[in-house]
Amino acid sequence: MSKDKICNVLMCGVGGQGIITTSNMLSRAAMNAGYDVKKSEIHGMSQRGGSVFSHVRFGPKVYSPVIAHGQADILISLEEMETLRWIDFPSPDAEIIVLKNRIAPFGVEKYPEGVEEEISKDFKGLTFLDPEELKEKTGSPKTVNVAVLGLVSLKLDIPEDCWKEAIQSLAPEGTAAMNWVAFEKGKY
């Protein structure tokens, strides 16, 4: 993304996956890089595995924290079905990054079939990530969200030192080094 354009990043998942922490890290890194940043989030039922999302917008000057339909440059989803809730938000050229997690909503006994195929229908820039591979790569299931952020960092014009400061200052106490390693490993 270029420095003179507003970048729209939408993150979604379910409670406990680290959406809020990850969006805070992205927002801080963008601020560290000198961007104007606006953020909006919903996490009302997060403790019960409910839907959680965050809009992050940054650029030279941003007036609204909310991404309009069809305007997201990047959609990061940490749960497959949550991707479908937000499928109207990415632009046709958006990068879509989906962690192949399958967490059935409360009251649903069997995860629906065809979710990945439905996501794949309309987008060119689509990356599916295996959560088990990321857990193995990072050494902890608690840092998978930050590893995904590492991959996203390759698509944004934010210097590495800005990311490092953001992760070190916002990672849960005692986990900054582990999260930085996960961020770095997520790039490869």
Side-chain angles (χ1 to χ4, degrees), residues 72-108:
D73 299 301
I74 299 174
L75 171 62
I76 303 164
S77 179
L78 299 184
E79 199 283 329
E80 274 187 51
M81 203 165 12
E82 286 299 314
T83 312
L84 293 178
R85 284 188 203 268
W86 298 97
I87 206 73
D88 293 337
F89 279 79
S91 74
D93 299 323
E95 293 284 335
I96 316 267
I97 299 167
V98 180
L99 193 61
K100 291 174 68 169
N101 262 333
R102 291 184 165 193
I103 302 168
F106 181 74
V108 175

Side-chain angles (χ1 to χ4, degrees), residues 8-76:
N8 298 308
V9 180
L10 177 60
M11 298 182 188
C12 62
V14 298
Q17 290 188 298
I19 294 293
I20 303 304
T21 299
T22 307
S23 65
N24 287 342
M25 289 175 177
L26 169 58
S27 297
R28 175 76 61 89
M31 284 190 291
N32 292 344
Y35 290 109
D36 183 32
V37 179
K38 301 289 186 282
K39 179 176 172 275
S40 175
E41 61 193 42
I42 295 290
H43 51 91
M45 293 297 289
S46 61
Q47 291 184 353
R48 297 181 184 219
S51 184
V52 178
F53 64 89
S54 183
H55 296 236
V56 179
R57 303 184 73 223
F58 62 92
K61 185 65 181 158
V62 179
Y63 294 97
S64 170
V66 178
I67 301 168
H69 284 141
Q71 297 299 308
D73 299 301
I74 299 174
L75 171 62
I76 303 164

